[in-house]
Amino acid sequence: MKISTIKELLEADVVCCEDLLGKHVYSACGSDMMSDVLAFVKDQAVLVTGLVNSQVIRTAEMMDMICIVLVRSKLPTPEMIELAQESGIVLLTTKKRMYDACGILYTNGLVGNKVKEA
Amino acid sequence: MSEILTFHFDVDGDDFTSAGQASVQIKKNLRQLGISPDTIRRVSIAMYEGEINMVIHADGGDADVSVTEEYIEIVLSDHGPGIKDINQAMQEGFSTASDSIRSMGFGAGMGLPNMKRYTDYMNIDSVVGEGTTITMRVNL
């Protein structure tokens, strides 16, 4: 799924790296616990989280993730934005809650470990 | 690549915000050496979890990474409180982290199991009251 599609589906605002909206992600993970993200995520993924600190960006970077969605209108810190820009990670923010955001992405084909066949 | 390359980092225990900087740097260094992306990811995740643990539990420490022809070795050593029961600490979900650490997204009891999961060899040498040294290797 293209990151631009995620933006549309979640009615999200782009915080940084807008030039990378054309990239694709192949799986998704929703969690506020970064160690769970580090344990279970595979493939090029998007991270959906309500956690706001610089370790969210570092975790995504370690996992080669290219997009993070902050739910419940959370705003990233200036440090997070700087780190995301350095790492080439698209940062999105949406008013939707975690459960709804994950459900919308899942029902549109972005599942836990792979994209559903169309 | 016939020589052994070594990298040393001081892990600052005072600042949770900057935790993970050594792992980010190692990731860049390994990329420059042409190591495969999968291996780089395993090394950097294992080291990142270890770095976070050193900041959370041990007020920082030292991180040394060696790249040989056969493997990449990460040695993390600290002078923290030590691990009382290593078998218990290795169980997924077991954690002694405070609520404030959990609120920052860590302390789920996945750190040490993750480090083992992503490496081919892991040894924990810990003495209560003196500190902990963790040695991990990822084969090339």
Side-chain angles (χ1 to χ4, degrees):
Chain A
M1 179 182 286
K2 265 191 180 181
I3 297 175
S4 57
T5 308
I6 294 173
K7 175 191 176 297
E8 285 165 23
L9 289 169
L10 300 182
E11 296 166 19
D13 292 323
V14 184
V15 179
C16 73
C17 297
E18 192 159 10
D19 54 316
L20 302 177
L21 287 178
K23 285 199 167 188
H24 285 80
V25 294
Y26 300 96
S27 63
C29 174
S31 180
D32 288 349
M33 294 306 288
M34 294 301 106
S35 279
D36 281 343
V37 177
L38 289 163
F40 300 117
V41 174
K42 291 174 183 169
D43 305 326
Q44 202 167 342
V46 53
L47 172 60
V48 184
T49 186
L51 187 69
V52 175
N53 67 45
S54 55
Q55 299 307 337
V56 173
I57 312 293
R58 290 230 168 79
T59 296
E61 186 176 359
M62 293 301 146
M63 302 302 292
D64 298 321
M65 289 170 151
I66 54 171
C67 179
I68 299 169
V69 180
L70 299 177
V71 295
R72 302 193 303 278
S73 302
K74 297 281 182 80
L75 291 174
T77 63
E79 278 167 345
M80 287 175 73
I81 297 170
E82 193 180 327
L83 284 172
Q85 281 170 335
E86 277 175 21
S87 308
I89 296 171
V90 181
L91 211 44
L92 303 177
T93 180
T94 176
K95 288 178 183 170
K96 297 190 187 304
R97 288 174 289 179
M98 170 80 93
Y99 184 80
D100 296 330
C102 292
I104 289 166
L105 294 180
Y106 192 96
T107 52
N108 280 278
L110 194 62
V111 296
N113 276 324
K114 59 179 179 178
V115 180
K116 280 194 284 190
E117 296 296 327
Chain B
M1 185 166 59
S2 56
E3 291 176 22
I4 297 174
L5 290 172
T6 58
F7 304 96
H8 174 80
F9 303 92
D10 294 317
V11 177
D12 184 358
D14 296 330
D15 186 6
F16 182 79
T17 305
S18 66
Q21 281 180 340
S23 306
V24 171
Q25 187 57 49
I26 274 297
K27 193 163 188 177
K28 287 177 186 163
N29 293 352
L30 295 180
R31 266 194 206 129
Q32 285 171 354
L33 292 172
I35 308 284
S36 76
D38 181 55
T39 301
I40 293 174
R41 192 195 295 191
R42 290 170 61 202
V43 169
S44 43
I45 293 170
M47 184 166 165
Y48 179 57
E49 287 279 22
E51 225 186 313
I52 293 284
N53 270 354
M54 282 203 288
V55 173
I56 292 173
H57 297 289
D59 198 25
D62 294 291
D64 290 280
V65 178
S66 309
V67 183
T68 75
E69 286 199 54
E70 291 86 31
Y71 53 79
I72 298 169
E73 184 176 78
I74 309 153
V75 180
L76 305 170
S77 54
D78 66 60
H79 298 289
I83 302 169
K84 202 171 169 183
D85 184 337
I86 291 174
N87 286 333
Q88 193 176 31
M90 287 303 299
Q91 289 171 20
E92 290 194 358
F94 177 80
S95 174
T96 58
S98 64
D99 285 345
S100 66
I101 294 299
R102 288 170 205 266
S103 71
M104 291 190 282
F106 288 89
M110 295 300 292
L112 288 173
N114 273 353
M115 289 156 74
K116 189 169 177 63
R117 176 179 288 120
Y118 287 109
T119 55
D120 296 301
Y121 166 85
M122 177 167 141
N123 181 64
I124 303 174
D125 188 7
S126 188
V127 178
V128 172
E130 291 185 19
T132 300
T133 298
I134 297 181
T135 304
M136 297 175 282
R137 286 179 191 159
V138 174
N139 294 334
L140 292 173

